[in-house]
Amino acid sequence: MQTKKKNRILVVEDEADQRDIVEQIITDAGYSVVTAEDAESALKLQQLQPVDLVFSDWKLPGMDGLQLLEKLRELYPELAFVMATGHGSIDHAISAIRAGADDYLSKPYKRQTLLFTLEKVCQSKHLKSENKQLRKALTEQSNLVDMVGRAPSMQKMFRKIEKLAVTNATVLISGESGTGKELAARALHKLSKRSEKPFIAVNCAAIPETLADAEFFGAEKGAYTGADRLKIGKFEASDNGTIFLDEIGELPLLLQAKLLRLLQEGTLTRLGSNEEKKINIRVIAASNRNLEEEIKVGQFREDLYFRLNVVPLVMPPLRERTEDIPALVNHFANSAATNHGVTRPEFPKDVMHILLNNYWSGNVRELGNIVERLVLFAEDCIVSVKDVPVLTAAKTLTDGQFQLPLEGFSWEAHERDCLNQALELTENNRAQAARLLDLSYKAFLYRLEKHGL
Ligand SMILES: Nc1ncnc2c1ncn2[C@@H]1O[C@H](COP(=O)(O)OP(=O)(O)OP(=O)(O)O)[C@@H](O)[C@H]1O
Ligand SMILES: [Mg+2]
C-alpha cells in the first residue's frame, strides 16, 4: 500500500465524465492524479511535472493512445503505461503491449480491476528500479573492494586495509604509478563506517595554484574577482566522509600549511570569511613521488608529512608480485569481454610467458590496458602473440635490441631494479655486479648511492 502514496498518475481521457470518475476513484485510493484531455497536453504535462504512470484511453482526438505510448516510450523509457481499450478490441490490447504498455484494461472495467492493475504495475516498476539500483551498487562495490592479489605482500596489505578501515587514522599511500593507490583508498572508505557518506578524490596536480585555495577550502561570494557565488570547497564537501588527496606532493606550500592546520584543529575557514567551521573528515593521501626527497629539497613540509604518514601503506610494484599476473589477466579479460560484449578469449602459454616476464613499469594499469587490447584483437577466441605489443622484458634489455615501449617507462625504477638484480645474482659481489651491467666500478657505486642501496 505504501507505493500508492508516492505514485503520481496521469489520466488521459477525452470524455469529461469518464475522466472525472477515474480521477475520483484513483484519488480516493491515495494516488496523486493529474489529467489531460488529449495526447498533446499529456506530453506537455509530463514534461512539466513528470508522473510515475500514465493511464490513457486508446481513442483520443488527434494523436491516439498508441501514438502517445510510442512517443512516451521514446522520451521516458522507464515510465509505466496502462492502456484502456474499447470493448472487445483485443487487437488494440495486443498492439499496446507490443508497443511497450505495461498492461491494458478493456472497457468497461470495474473499479476494483482498475485499482488492482494500477497497483500491480506501480509495484512492478518500483521493484524493477530498486533491482537496477541494487545491481548498480553491487557492481560499483565490487569495483571498489574487488582488489585482486594473492601474493603474500598483497594479502598483508588487504589485512592492513581491513584493520585500518574501521579507524579514522590518516593514511599515506605510496607506490609507483598504476599500483592501485586509488583503489586502496576507495576500499578504505568503502569498508569504513563512512561508506554512505561522500568519498571525494582530488588530484592535487590537476588544480592550478591560483585556484587551489578556493577549490580546497571554499570561498564566500565576492571573496575574489569572479567569485560570483558561494563556493563549497572539497574539504567541506567531504564532511563526515573521506577525502582522497592524490599526488599530495604537488600541493602548493601555502596550502600544505593550511592543510596541516585543518588536520590539527579539525576546522576550516572559507576564503573571504572569518567564521571557522568544524568538520569531520578522514584524510587519505597518495603520492608516487618520494616525499622524503621532496622534504630535503624544501618542496614538502616535514610536519605535514609526519601528520599524514600516521599509517603508511606501500603498494608493491607488479614486477615484485608476478604470481598475481595470471589472476589479474583473468580479471581484466573478464571485465573487458563483458564491457565490450565479446567472448572472453583464451590466453595461450606463449602469451602468458611474455606477460609474466615483462617489467611492467606502468604496473597494474598497464597490464589492464594491454589485456583489454588483446581481448579486442583476439580472433577465434584466442589471443595471438603477434598482438602483444613490444614489452620491456628483461631479456630484450640485454640483447641490444631494446625498444622503448610506446607508453614509456620509469627510468629511475628500472635502473634501481637492474642494480638490485645484479647484486642478487652476484650475491652482493659489487665488482662482479658492475661487470654484469657493463659499468665501471665507480659508476656502479655512484648509482648504488643514488638509489640508497
Ligand atoms: N589489485 C588490483 N586488482 C584489480 N585491479 C587493480 C588492482 N590494482 C590496480 N588495479 C586497476 O589498475 C588501474 C590503476 O589503479 P589506480 O588508479 O588505483 O592506481 P594508482 O596507483 O592510483 O595510479 P596513479 O599513481 O597513476 O594515479 C585501475 O583501473 C585499477 O582498477
Ligand atoms: Mg591514482
Side-chain angles (χ1 to χ4, degrees), residues 4 77 97 103 121 242 416:
K4 263 187 217 169
I97 297 293
D103 211 339
V121 169
T242 306
R416 189 188 162 91

Side-chain angles (χ1 to χ4, degrees), residues 147-148 177-183 288 328 331-332 364-365:
M147 292 181 80
V148 177
S177 178
T179 43
K181 295 186 294 295
E182 178 154 354
L183 207 59
N288 52 25
L328 283 166
H331 169 77
F332 289 124
V364 185
R365 178 182 294 112

